[in-house]
Amino acid sequence: MPRDKEKQKEYLRLYNMKNKDKKKEYHRLYNKANKDKIKERKRLYGIANKDKIKEYHIANKDKIKEKQDAYRQTPQGKKNVTMRSWRSRGINNVDDELYNKYINTHCCDVCSKEFKNSLDRHLDHNHDTGDFRQILCRACNTHDSWKKKKIEA
């Protein structure tokens, strides 16, 4: 016997409240297992609704900017901005391990000078190959004196 729409809505609302965690876990596992499928669906949606998306971005420009600024202040946001910056500068093999090493290094790898702030810490890399070499202070990064110290050692 079919229920009327109001009873069905109420039933679904109660069911969703009771099974919130179960549904969340199901969606998390589904999304993890179907990353490529979801990515392709989003890509196709973007192509089919280009004008609609553009209108939304124009109408909600300030709201989107606020969200982005708030995200960039979170630890994950800072990490993503930093890693994106390294990739744009041509550094190879940028990953969580390199970022954690960069964040947890408190003194220069060459002169052992302690970093006063994050602006003193620089990620040195080979500009030809893009390979990471070491984490340097501002002085060692701007001068090639560290190369002589490394050769002597």
Side-chain angles (χ1 to χ4, degrees):
M1 186 162 125
R3 302 181 196 183
D4 65 16
K5 287 186 179 184
E6 288 302 316
K7 284 184 180 179
Q8 190 174 8
K9 277 185 183 179
E10 183 62 21
Y11 171 79
L12 286 173
R13 187 182 70 76
L14 291 172
Y15 177 83
N16 287 335
M17 282 176 45
K18 286 179 187 175
N19 297 295
K20 195 175 202 175
D21 293 335
K22 184 179 175 182
K23 287 180 66 174
K24 198 173 195 177
E25 181 63 16
Y26 170 81
H27 286 294
R28 189 185 69 75
L29 292 173
Y30 176 85
N31 290 344
K32 189 175 183 180
N34 296 291
K35 275 184 181 178
D36 294 336
K37 185 178 176 181
I38 293 167
K39 189 175 182 178
E40 181 63 14
R41 190 177 341 144
K42 285 181 177 182
R43 188 185 73 78
L44 293 173
Y45 178 86
I47 291 169
N49 298 290
K50 203 176 239 180
D51 294 335
K52 185 178 178 181
I53 293 169
K54 193 173 185 176
E55 286 174 21
Y56 174 83
H57 281 273
I58 290 169
N60 297 292
K61 192 175 187 178
D62 294 335
K63 183 179 175 182
I64 292 168
K65 184 166 177 21
E66 282 178 25
K67 265 184 143 177
Q68 288 173 341
D69 290 344
Y71 173 72
R72 287 187 189 113
Q73 298 306 314
T74 65
Q76 185 65 37
K78 289 178 182 180
K79 177 181 176 180
N80 285 341
V81 167
T82 302
M83 291 171 69
R84 188 179 331 120
S85 151
W86 291 343
R87 286 187 195 100
S88 72
R89 289 186 172 101
I91 298 172
N92 296 334
N93 304 323
V94 174
D95 58 4
D96 291 339
E97 186 180 332
L98 178 60
Y99 181 79
N100 290 334
K101 179 177 178 163
Y102 176 78
I103 291 300
N104 295 319
T105 301
H106 301 291
C107 59
C108 179
D109 288 345
V110 174
C111 68
S112 301
K113 178 182 171 186
E114 195 166 321
F115 303 127
K116 293 178 185 169
N117 58 40
S118 63
L119 297 176
D120 289 342
R121 186 176 30 212
H122 295 272
L123 192 73
D124 181 46
H125 67 285
N126 183 323
H127 288 260
D128 295 330
T129 63
D131 295 334
F132 163 75
R133 290 192 285 222
Q134 57 209 350
I135 298 169
L136 302 175
C137 65
R138 183 185 298 253
C140 290
N141 191 45
T142 55
H143 303 299
D144 287 341
S145 61
W146 65 266
K147 289 180 183 175
K148 293 174 189 169
K149 289 180 184 178
K150 283 286 186 183
I151 291 170
E152 291 171 5

